[in-house]
Amino acid sequence: MTSAATHTPSAISEKREKYDILDLFAGPGGLDVAARYLGKEAIGIEWDGNACETRLAAGLPTIHADVQEVRRNLRDHATRLKGVTILAGGPPCQTFSLAGSGSGRRDLDKVKGYIKRLAKDPQSADEIDAELAKDAASHLGDSRTALVLEPLRWILAAAAAHEPFTGPFETIILEQVPAVLPVWKAYEEALASMELPDGKTYHTVSGVLLTEQYGVPQTRRRAVLIAKLGDEETEKPKLPRKTHLAFVRPRQDLQEPLPIDTSEEEDSESVESTFPWVPMGDALLRARKDLGSSDQLPERSSEFSVRSNYGSGGDPKKRGQRTSDQPAFTVTGKVSRNVVTGDVGPSKFTIHEAGVLQTFPGNFPWSGKDQSQQVGNAVPPRLGVHLMAAALGIGKERRNKALNSMFTWPPVDTQETE
């Protein structure tokens, strides 16, 4: 396969006149995969060449470039971005998202201040950039901190009708790790304060979702924000309703903390159904039945255990362990280090098995290097379907049809893009 450094999926985008969704920091395509099953088409901006290799193999339209550079040169990408009405993305996790230290809290406070300033006065962008660069140069800040402001900069560009945009995004969907929730709260305030054409405003909701409550066979927590453009009569958006039960972590499960308190009481309207959470063993078995056993999806016994590679404090005896009738631990970039025991199959998950635990189709064409990192950084497509359906007002029947069809990925002839 040709390297993404010289031949990127951006060529695919030229075949389509209009895209529905612009996905910032698109990675290998978790949200884009979800969009396609819902009948929407996304074009993603991604800098990492390895993720672009995967996107090329999967036929996902891509601009292989830095998100900031594309924004600064919007006219160069006008043909591909014209007509986009939905903004999605998850800017990379910053130091403040890892919590704890005083510097992390200071970074968080700074970012919240920048968000407020930028929304109130878009012309302050250059001044903010200079401050961020000064902090990074003096080691008082993280050079990536500016990236968490990128979605807001794109939102402001669209609201100002900068070419190729003709007006504000109609829908905004953002996601990140749970500790970024205060940033999304700051975004909510900023969006509500924006002066938009025709007296319209953004109606927003944010919160932390547990992926196993949406049929993802792993415990993973994501902070999400949904914003909808409307008038005074527009109904406030809601987070997707839960379709599965939360996994109750056993005492010996040391890998992950309990869900953080979002200060919102659960009500009947937030729960659609109470199916049991999906065990990782069942998810892998379903993938093998759909696609057949192979080296990518090897045969495994009905019962096995998985020992985590982290959360141990350096002591292997304290590493968390899950059984095949439980959801997997959070799939991270180090998923290839997890040890599978009591099984006839290999002692490590294959990259396709890891993808299945993220709810990618079993035959999704992972390509390039650092594939474990690609998988770990991705948004679970199944969660993406729930998020987009809630944000776009897609009904239960159409959403479920998408969920029930996302087990295989159609082959792509990458030669068509040469």
Side-chain angles (χ1 to χ4, degrees), residues 10 51 83 157 160 194 246 268 316 338 343 363 373 400:
S10 58
M194 289 175 58
S268 59
N338 289 355
D343 183 53
N363 64 335
Q373 197 66 48
N400 287 348

Side-chain angles (χ1 to χ4, degrees), residues 224-261:
V224 302
L225 164 68
I226 296 173
K228 291 283 291 183
L229 184 67
D231 53 30
E232 293 181 354
E233 298 181 359
T234 300
E235 184 178 356
K236 178 180 178 179
K238 296 180 180 179
L239 296 176
R241 299 179 68 192
K242 303 172 182 67
T243 56
H244 293 69
L245 295 174
F247 175 63
V248 179
R249 294 159 174 77
R251 186 180 298 274
Q252 66 271 25
D253 186 346
L254 301 176
Q255 161 145 357
E256 298 169 348
L258 294 173
I260 67 173
D261 181 11

Side-chain angles (χ1 to χ4, degrees), residues 81-98:
L81 299 181
K82 184 178 181 180
V84 167
T85 59
I86 303 164
L87 181 73
C93 167
Q94 312 306 313
T95 52
F96 61 76
S97 76
L98 303 179

